[in-house]
Amino acid sequence: MNWSFAVGTNLLPGLKAKIDRESKQKLNEFAKELRTFRSVDMSGRNFGDEGLFFLSESLAYNQTVEEVSFAANGITAEGIKAFDGVLQSNIVLKTLDLSGNPIGDEGIKCLCDMLADNASILKLQLNSTDLGDEGAKAIAELLKKNSSLRVLELNNNMIDYSGFTGLAGALLENNTIRNLHLNGNYGGALGANALAKGLEGNKSLRELHLHGNSIGDEGVRALMSGLSMHKGKTTLLDISNNSISARGAFYVAEYVKKSKSLLWLNLYMNDIGDEGAEKIAEALKQNRSITTIDLGGNNIHAKGVTDIAQVLKDNSVITTLELSYNPIGPDGAKALSEVLKFNGNVNTLKLGWCQIGAKGAEFIADTLKYNTTISVLDLRANGLKDEGAACLARSLKVVNEALTSLDLGFNEIRDDGAFAIAQALKANEDVAVTSLNLANNFLTKFGQSALTDARDHVYEMSEKEVNVFF
């Protein structure tokens, strides 16, 4: 669909008129959506600047729509001018998503001017909008004036140290922003240091998302210092993929020991190793707030995971434990299994790509016979093969009221493994599993057929639906 109404195209007049007619008809349908529904998703419609000028009229004085997404529509700085007068007059719109549009710094500045006096928008999404330091500074000025914004998403842009410095300054003056998303930018250690100073004087921020900013150990040291002095209640901290080593883990651990509000900690894809895992484990023994911890992809071996496992002996707060992409091996699986058999309160356990093999699966399977909390278990890509699948199948025959989702994708399981699992499902009429993933294995139509028959049998006997993927 060509949304352009510009003159001077090479189309034949009749065809041009037809396309214009179709474009306007579509835009009229979109405009009707905006006037009718509370939440409207117009992402990826490619209507461009001209289309936005047409649609923006339906937003002015609109008393219906509260959430609207104009993401990925080819909107530029020129198109943002369509909101002038609209955002100032609309008092109902709460969420505005402009992600994936090449708005750039000029467009962002224009948008910020319009939002300075807006009191309704609570969530503003500007991910992947070619936003740089100048745009970040304009947003910082907006935050100093605007007291309604709660959630600000600026992921995957080009914000560098000076942009971070501007945003940090705004945090000192703004006490209403709750969630700040800066994933995939270029903050570095200096940006983290600047942000830390802003956090010291801020009381409102609850969530800080800094995935992929190359902040390193020095950056994390400054950040933890700032968070320790932060007067608000930080509940979520994402510092994944930031080149943090065991030294950086020490600073994180010191903060975790003191925190009474943190619920969710993400250290995914760093390099803290066994030494860092030991430090985090020590901190978790003192912490009683964290419910979800992601240590995936940190080069943690059996030794490190043994330290983490010991924490779970007398911790009933942690409910989600992500350890994928760590070479913990069968010994690591054994250490976890021995503790989780009768301890902890883990509902979601992720051990994909952990090299546990069939032997590790045997330990996990034994735990499942006794554990009453694990509901979601991810064992993808562990080289379980038929032997490991058979071990798990034996445990599925035992009544386990907790396990609802089992992921065995990428495990080189063949038909014999599928037959064993199928038999287990048929043998246990009280099976709680509702999702079983065996995709990307080596099943033929015979193994697939056995699993399908087992699924149907469970439904016939108990009217329970098991979703089997292969």
Side-chain angles (χ1 to χ4, degrees):
M1 182 70 70
N2 183 345
W3 298 105
S4 176
F5 312 133
V7 294
T9 61
N10 294 323
L11 295 171
L12 293 169
L15 183 58
K16 174 74 169 66
K18 182 171 181 281
I19 287 176
D20 271 9
R21 215 167 34 247
E22 284 180 13
S23 299
K24 284 177 180 172
Q25 187 180 343
K26 276 284 182 192
L27 286 168
N28 276 317
E29 287 172 17
F30 294 165
K32 188 179 178 184
E33 278 185 56
L34 285 171
R35 291 191 295 267
T36 309
F37 301 110
R38 192 187 66 78
S39 180
V40 179
D41 183 359
M42 291 195 179
S43 58
R45 309 281 179 100
N46 294 317
F47 47 68
D49 293 341
E50 297 96 331
L52 187 61
F53 270 97
F54 182 93
L55 292 170
S56 62
E57 293 173 23
S58 300
L59 275 179
Y61 302 104
N62 184 312
Q63 296 292 306
T64 306
V65 71
E66 293 180 13
E67 300 173 10
V68 66
S69 173
F70 290 131
N73 272 299
I75 298 164
T76 70
E78 193 61 31
I80 293 299
K81 293 174 184 173
F83 288 127
D84 196 14
V86 173
L87 293 179
Q88 294 94 323
S89 59
N90 186 304
I91 56 169
V92 176
L93 190 66
K94 291 182 173 67
T95 300
L96 178 61
D97 188 355
L98 291 167
S99 302
N101 288 298
I103 297 168
D105 288 344
E106 288 308 309
I108 297 296
K109 286 177 187 175
C110 184
L111 181 67
C112 289
D113 287 343
M114 298 170 199
L115 289 174
D117 298 319
N118 179 289
S120 68
I121 292 180
L122 305 176
K123 184 176 184 179
L124 181 61
Q125 295 164 284
L126 297 170
N127 308 312
S128 306
T129 50
D130 295 346
L131 187 160
D133 287 337
E134 293 308 308
K137 287 172 186 173
I139 289 169
E141 290 306 308
L142 169 67
L143 287 175
K144 290 175 184 177
K145 302 169 193 164
N146 182 299
S147 59
S148 60
L149 264 181
R150 297 292 184 271
V151 180
L152 179 60
E153 295 185 13
L154 305 175
N155 301 322
N156 304 316
N157 281 299
M158 299 173 288
I159 307 171
D160 214 318
Y161 161 65
S162 64
F164 270 67
T165 303
L167 290 168
L171 287 178
L172 291 171
E173 296 186 38
N174 180 297
N175 272 308
T176 50
I177 193 80
R178 294 286 179 87
N179 304 355
L180 182 58
H181 298 248
L182 288 164
N183 298 332
N185 280 286
Y186 300 91
L190 290 173
N193 194 49
L195 213 50
K197 290 184 172 65
L199 288 168
E200 286 179 20
N202 177 277
K203 294 176 183 173
S204 64
L205 202 69
R206 302 281 190 272
E207 296 185 10
L208 182 58
H209 301 255
L210 286 173
H211 166 92
N213 267 283
S214 304
I215 67 175
D217 292 337
E218 278 308 304
V220 92
R221 180 183 63 78
L223 197 62
M224 295 308 113
S225 173
L227 282 169
S228 295
M229 297 174 75
H230 177 56
K231 302 292 191 295
K233 292 182 178 178
T234 308
T235 57
L236 183 151
L237 178 62
D238 183 354
I239 44 174
S240 55
N241 194 19
N242 266 301
S243 306
I244 298 166
S245 74
R247 188 163 72 90
F250 167 78
Y251 302 123
V252 176
E254 290 304 299
Y255 168 65
V256 166
K257 285 177 187 175
K258 300 171 201 161
S259 176
K260 289 181 171 60
S261 61
L262 195 65
L263 303 174
W264 197 93
L265 175 63
N266 190 354
L267 279 162
Y268 181 74
M269 286 298 167
N270 283 295
D271 191 18
I272 69 171
D274 290 343
E275 188 187 345
E278 182 186 2
K279 290 182 171 71
I280 297 295
E282 285 170 11
L284 289 173
K285 284 177 183 174
Q286 297 182 39
N287 180 286
R288 282 293 177 270
S289 65
I290 292 174
T291 61
T292 299
I293 183 157
D294 189 340
L295 297 171
N298 265 290
N299 197 27
I300 298 168
H301 297 74
K303 182 183 181 301
V305 89
T306 301
D307 291 327
I308 297 293
Q310 292 308 305
V311 173
L312 302 172
K313 277 187 174 177
D314 58 354
N315 181 309
S316 58
V317 182
I318 295 172
T319 54
T320 298
L321 181 59
E322 164 69 273
L323 290 166
S324 299
Y325 298 99
N326 284 304
I328 69 170
D331 290 344
K334 183 182 181 184
L336 265 177
S337 299
E338 285 176 349
V339 173
L340 290 174
K341 192 181 285 187
F342 300 113
N343 300 284
N345 190 30
V346 174
N347 306 143
T348 300
L349 180 61
K350 298 199 172 184
L351 297 173
W353 289 269
C354 280
Q355 302 174 21
I356 70 171
K359 192 66 183 168
E362 194 177 327
F363 297 127
I364 300 282
D366 187 46
T367 292
L368 291 178
K369 291 176 184 174
Y370 305 96
N371 178 281
T372 58
T373 64
I374 296 172
S375 172
V376 177
L377 179 59
D378 180 358
L379 295 174
R380 282 176 295 169
N382 271 297
L384 303 188
K385 301 187 177 176
D386 288 345
E387 189 186 344
C391 289
L392 290 162
R394 285 193 288 275
S395 290
L396 287 177
K397 285 183 179 178
V398 178
V399 176
N400 180 323
E401 294 177 358
L403 190 67
T404 59
S405 173
L406 179 60
D407 196 337
L408 300 174
F410 299 97
N411 266 302
E412 302 169 48
I413 298 169
R414 298 178 186 274
D415 287 345
D416 283 350
F419 294 151
I421 290 170
Q423 285 299 321
L425 290 175
K426 284 183 175 180
N428 183 0
E429 290 177 15
D430 296 312
V431 67
V433 173
T434 55
S435 176
L436 178 62
N437 182 29
L438 282 157
N440 301 102
N441 280 294
F442 301 145
L443 309 186
T444 69
K445 61 183 179 182
F446 300 109
Q448 293 177 2
S449 177
L451 288 164
T452 305
D453 287 347
R455 178 198 66 192
D456 295 344
H457 176 83
V458 170
Y459 185 73
E460 284 168 19
M461 299 303 289
S462 62
E463 292 194 347
K464 290 178 183 173
E465 290 195 14
V466 181
N467 294 307
V468 182
F469 307 95
F470 41 68

